[in-house]
Amino acid sequence: DGGWSGAEWTDAATVPVTVLVKTTGALPGTPYWLALHQALAAAFAPSHTDIPLSFTAGSDAYVIYGRPRLVEPLAETAFRGWAICRAAFRALDPRIYSGAVHEVTLGLPSTVGGLEVPFTVPFSIGAVVTAGRASITNAGTAATGLVLRIDGPVQEPRVTLTAPGGAVRTLRYLDDLASGQWLVIDTKAATSYLNGNVSRRGRTVGGWAGFLLEPGTSEIAFDAALYDASALLTVSWRDAY
């Protein structure tokens, strides 16, 4: 699935970008063309992290993540106020993602109804579990990563993903989150950050391998060691192709 930042075992996808830079109206000539070219070069400034490139196909919006490469102008005609520039966008992750971000928010599971004491026979146990789980759908054709934000207070939270085929993966955080604290887990990048900047990768354990949203409808579940009505899980993802 694309390339790695270290030893590469497969090629990354390259998106070629050809741009006509042209002055208009009363602003012909090389100086004005250079100003436009500098703006284009700034847009394609090299980056050591993946950035989004957005595009549309008809009425649908999509995103691909990668790293821009230096603009290479063919400047023979620049003195006339125009020239063709060649840029590139190297995508270590070759998947195309939907422009829209899907999001679901869950609380911890609780029960409604059930057995009450005293009771008479015969009796039935009518407890119903509410909250804590939801169906989420990847409408694309490739597995996609999930971003899981857990807001405290919550004790040793865990998130379980059941794939369309029945495979189950669980991620657990081995510490507690106090009120006002949050943990963000990116299952594609395999990162876990407390309050946005403190790595907790070593305290987040479980089925990292394969904790991706497969095409189709899966079930996501939120649980913890103890119930707290204020605890929240926010799940966000994009469809992937």
Side-chain angles (χ1 to χ4, degrees):
D1 288 339
W4 297 82
S5 58
E8 295 183 359
W9 58 275
T10 186
D11 291 336
T14 300
V15 180
V17 182
T18 301
V19 181
L20 171 62
V21 180
K22 181 181 180 182
T23 60
T24 59
L27 301 175
T30 304
Y32 303 102
W33 178 86
L34 284 174
L36 294 175
H37 180 261
Q38 288 173 352
L40 179 64
F44 279 87
S47 171
H48 67 281
T49 58
D50 288 348
I51 62 175
L53 173 66
S54 302
F55 63 95
T56 58
S59 60
D60 298 323
Y62 299 95
V63 175
I64 190 170
Y65 292 91
R67 305 182 186 189
R69 290 295 180 256
L70 186 63
V71 177
E72 300 177 1
L74 301 177
E76 292 86 350
T77 58
F79 72 95
R80 299 177 183 172
W82 68 271
I84 298 294
C85 298
R86 293 176 179 172
F89 194 77
R90 293 280 286 173
L92 299 182
D93 177 359
R95 284 169 286 201
I96 297 173
Y97 296 91
S98 63
V101 177
H102 309 292
E103 188 173 281
V104 169
T105 300
L106 300 174
L108 289 172
S110 59
T111 58
V112 175
L115 184 64
E116 296 182 0
V117 179
F119 58 85
T120 58
V121 293
F123 62 87
S124 62
I125 300 176
V128 177
V129 177
T130 63
R133 62 187 61 242
S135 295
I136 57 177
T137 300
N138 172 10
T141 58
T144 188
L146 296 170
V147 177
L148 311 173
R149 172 171 171 145
I150 303 173
D151 286 271
V154 62
Q155 295 188 18
E156 298 185 8
R158 56 186 177 270
V159 180
T160 301
L161 180 68
T162 304
V168 178
R169 298 285 187 273
T170 299
L171 288 177
R172 300 186 61 180
Y173 183 55
L174 301 181
D175 294 327
D176 300 339
L177 296 175
S179 179
Q181 290 187 319
W182 67 93
L183 184 76
V184 176
I185 302 171
D186 187 330
T187 67
K188 175 177 173 290
T191 58
S192 177
Y193 285 98
L194 176 66
N195 298 341
N197 53 21
V198 180
S199 177
R200 285 293 184 265
R201 179 64 174 81
R203 302 295 294 169
T204 307
V205 301
W208 282 101
F211 206 103
L212 299 172
L213 184 60
E214 299 290 338
T217 299
S218 302
E219 183 181 79
I220 191 95
F222 180 40
D223 208 344
L226 291 176
Y227 175 79
D228 193 305
S230 299
L232 289 176
L233 167 68
T234 302
V235 185
S236 58
W237 73 97
R238 296 177 187 266
D239 303 324
Y241 303 84

